[in-house]
Amino acid sequence: MRLAIINKDRCQPRRCSKECEKYCPRVRTGDETIVFEADGKPVISEELCVGCGICVNKCPFDAIMIIGLPEALKEPTHRYGTNGFALFGLPVPRIGKVTGILGPNGIGKSTSVQILSGALVPNFGQGKGDWDTVLEHYSGTALHDYFKAVVDGKVKVSQKPQYVDLIPKAFKGKTSELLEKTDERGVMDELVEYLDLRGIVNRKISELSGGELQRVAIAACAAKDAQFYFFDEISPYLDIYQRINVARLVQELSKDRAVLVVEHDLAVLDMLTDVIHIAYGEPAGFGVMTLPKSVRVGINQYLKGYLPEENIRIRPEAIKFEVHPPRDDAQFKSAASFNSFSMKYGDGFSLKATGGNLRVGEVLGIVGPNGIGKSTFVKVLAGEIKPDEGDPGIEVKISYKPQYIKADTTVSVQDFLRGISKRFGSSYYEVEISNPLQLERIYDSLLTDLSGGELQRVAIAACLSQEADLYILDEPSAHLDVEQRSMVTRVINRFAENNQKTVMVVDHDIYMIDLLSQRLLVFEGKPSVYGEAHGPFSMESGMNRFLKNLGITFRRDEETKRPRVNNLDSRLDREQKESGNYYYSAKD
């Protein structure tokens, strides 16, 4: 089976010479393989298309994809019209279970949720769908009973949106007003205590940080009286402790309800879900939902990039985790050092940082709970704010990517990056930054039109594009899927090593910190009260110190060496705490 996908937003027939039609070999022999509709945009006949790919390469706006599908994929579950995105398969929500979806962005996860909520009737690729056809199609399966309940109005859906930073645009008022409005189960007081929201309930929604908005959105979703709950990314802006806390809340919610979770933090997904569906395909082209898999097996198959049951490779290379061997300090050349300093906000939060050294060509990870001073620390180093006492004394040029990114200019991505870097457009820039970060397809897009993940990749590229000695990136994993996080990790590591630059990364994704860092800076203290910066430490010492403060232990998967969260008070959890190996067990 062959799919011809046309991105209607990219397609600009009035600005091109209709190269897709002009160079199509079937059109030139007289067939109507490509015709133009009344709006001037082309329609490609998938039956007549021979899959030569000439139109794909000739289209000046990269608006066409010709995709050859495996023979097993014969009928889509839903398709958005002729030459539109096609979804194959659906996740199966189960009462009493947390079902996870693991896959890249733009692969059909939101479409699946719309179908499961009853907002979208699957059409199986044939125009407009109807529920009688759906029930007949799924007769004898678990989805038949589920959709029958949807049709009968017995399924109410509660959904947490992916981009919580858009909530202030949709709701004006106090946090307490939003929470009271959604409290259908009478559990808001419990949720406020559990998610540590007591201090912000009287503040306006517009005044909340990203982490606070995330917890408010989770509380609002969990407070509704529904049969099917969908959480679209619970980890952005939350620290590891908050992520695990929310994971336990979602598990509690699933005891007598069906819960579906999309999550890109694999450590959280591993401990949170009972089964997972892997979503693969071509973003914006087609998506396939596999049958449910056990969590450990599914995540390992996803990391390896090969699904043996489906006999398909979803990625050319595996994502590999390596245990960091000890490295001789003599290998490193000192890049700079920073002095101790302190910062205090009125009668509130205070930060103290001891001095430390930075090395040429290394990536220094920064870990700690939210509200502990990590962002304040990097802003002081970057010269964004001045400390009350002491002077960091860093006399090197710094490039800084902040935690929260806003597009405040209407220029295109290409013009924005060209204005930042003299190397923009060079072969080095294309190979090392632009191509890996997949920026070419959004070069002509305006910054204000980008999604959260697209804007994040542009911000990372902008930070690395500037001429500097020290590069600081605050939460580069936010809104990125697993594939993109792996890609960003490789870009940052290669950039630091090849250019002999120093990079500091603040992040809460343990997988990303593990793949990126040679050393760690650990923040300790009491969130929103005081924070202390310690280190840098070796990876082993730093992670053990960090996780001990949180009372959490990790082990490494025997097959892939990826970090996995131990269940609280399990045998491994108790053994590792007794031995002091919170992150690296003795056999690692």
Side-chain angles (χ1 to χ4, degrees), residues 241-293:
Y241 177 79
Q242 292 169 330
R243 294 179 186 195
I244 291 175
N245 209 31
V246 168
R248 290 171 180 157
L249 171 65
V250 173
Q251 285 179 319
E252 185 70 23
L253 187 66
S254 72
K255 285 187 176 180
D256 56 352
R257 303 159 195 270
V259 179
L260 186 66
V261 176
V262 174
E263 183 52 60
H264 300 302
D265 185 329
L266 295 182
V268 171
L269 190 72
D270 191 11
M271 72 163 292
L272 169 64
T273 54
D274 298 297
V275 295
I276 65 170
H277 295 264
I278 293 178
Y280 67 91
E282 184 70 35
F286 78 102
V288 181
M289 295 284 173
T290 68
L291 293 173
K293 301 173 182 284

Side-chain angles (χ1 to χ4, degrees), residues 173-452:
K174 290 185 177 181
T175 303
S176 57
E177 295 171 354
L178 174 62
L179 295 178
E180 288 168 5
K181 186 178 178 181
T182 58
D183 188 15
E184 298 173 352
R185 297 196 294 131
V187 295
M188 192 51 68
D189 286 341
E190 299 171 31
L191 292 172
V192 166
E193 287 297 328
Y194 193 82
L195 296 174
D196 193 22
L197 299 174
R198 186 66 64 192
I200 65 170
V201 290
N202 293 319
R203 287 164 54 191
K204 293 182 179 179
I205 287 289
S206 58
E207 297 174 351
L208 302 186
S209 68
E212 291 165 342
L213 280 172
Q214 186 70 269
R215 284 178 284 143
V216 167
I218 291 167
C221 178
K224 290 184 179 179
D225 188 13
Q227 292 74 45
F228 172 45
Y229 292 84
F230 173 64
F231 292 89
D232 197 346
E233 294 191 37
I234 61 173
S235 65
Y237 307 123
L238 300 185
D239 62 42
I240 183 64
Y241 177 79
Q242 292 169 330
R243 294 179 186 195
I244 291 175
N245 209 31
V246 168
R248 290 171 180 157
L249 171 65
V250 173
Q251 285 179 319
E252 185 70 23
L253 187 66
S254 72
K255 285 187 176 180
D256 56 352
R257 303 159 195 270
V259 179
L260 186 66
V261 176
V262 174
E263 183 52 60
H264 300 302
D265 185 329
L266 295 182
V268 171
L269 190 72
D270 191 11
M271 72 163 292
L272 169 64
T273 54
D274 298 297
V275 295
I276 65 170
H277 295 264
I278 293 178
Y280 67 91
E282 184 70 35
F286 78 102
V288 181
M289 295 284 173
T290 68
L291 293 173
K293 301 173 182 284
S294 69
V295 179
R296 179 180 178 275
V297 169
I299 292 178
N300 285 354
Q301 288 181 2
Y302 187 82
L303 291 174
K304 291 178 180 178
Y306 176 68
L307 310 179
E309 291 88 358
E310 291 78 12
N311 191 27
I312 190 165
R313 180 162 291 283
I314 61 174
R315 192 185 315 105
E317 296 180 357
I319 298 175
K320 296 180 180 179
F321 292 84
E322 298 179 1
V323 180
H324 293 271
R327 299 175 70 175
D328 186 359
D329 288 351
Q331 297 178 33
F332 295 97
K333 178 183 176 183
S334 178
S337 61
F338 58 92
N339 303 322
S340 60
F341 63 87
S342 63
M343 188 87 188
K344 189 168 185 178
Y345 291 95
D347 296 327
F349 179 79
S350 63
L351 169 68
K352 290 184 179 180
T354 57
N357 70 308
L358 305 175
R359 297 167 171 175
V360 172
E362 82 164 347
V363 179
L364 180 67
I366 300 177
V367 294
N370 277 339
I372 206 76
K374 301 186 301 299
S375 294
T376 299
F377 174 82
V378 296
K379 285 179 181 178
V380 170
L381 292 189
E384 297 276 317
I385 55 179
K386 291 187 177 296
D388 295 319
E389 294 183 13
D391 183 353
I394 289 192
E395 298 179 355
V396 295
K397 193 172 182 181
I398 296 174
S399 177
Y400 171 57
K401 185 200 84 69
Q403 179 182 12
Y404 302 118
I405 309 165
K406 291 183 179 179
D408 52 7
T409 178
T410 55
V411 301
S412 69
V413 171
Q414 190 171 24
D415 291 339
F416 173 69
L417 293 175
R418 181 179 285 115
I420 288 175
S421 176
K422 296 178 180 178
R423 293 188 292 182
F424 181 83
S426 67
S427 58
Y428 169 83
Y429 192 92
E430 297 299 321
V431 171
E432 296 294 334
I433 295 179
S434 178
N435 292 344
L437 293 179
Q438 300 171 352
L439 299 179
E440 301 92 335
R441 294 183 67 85
I442 59 173
Y443 269 166
D444 294 327
S445 302
L446 298 178
L447 290 177
T448 50
D449 294 337
L450 299 181
S451 68

Side-chain angles (χ1 to χ4, degrees), residues 68 86 137-139 142 145 194 219 235 298 335 344 357 380 403 457 460 469 488 500 526 536 551 554:
H137 181 88
Y138 289 110
S139 179
D145 296 337
Y194 193 82
S235 65
K344 189 168 185 178
N357 70 308
V380 170
Q403 179 182 12
R457 284 181 281 137
I460 293 169
D469 303 299
V488 165
Q500 288 297 286
K526 187 175 181 180
F554 277 75

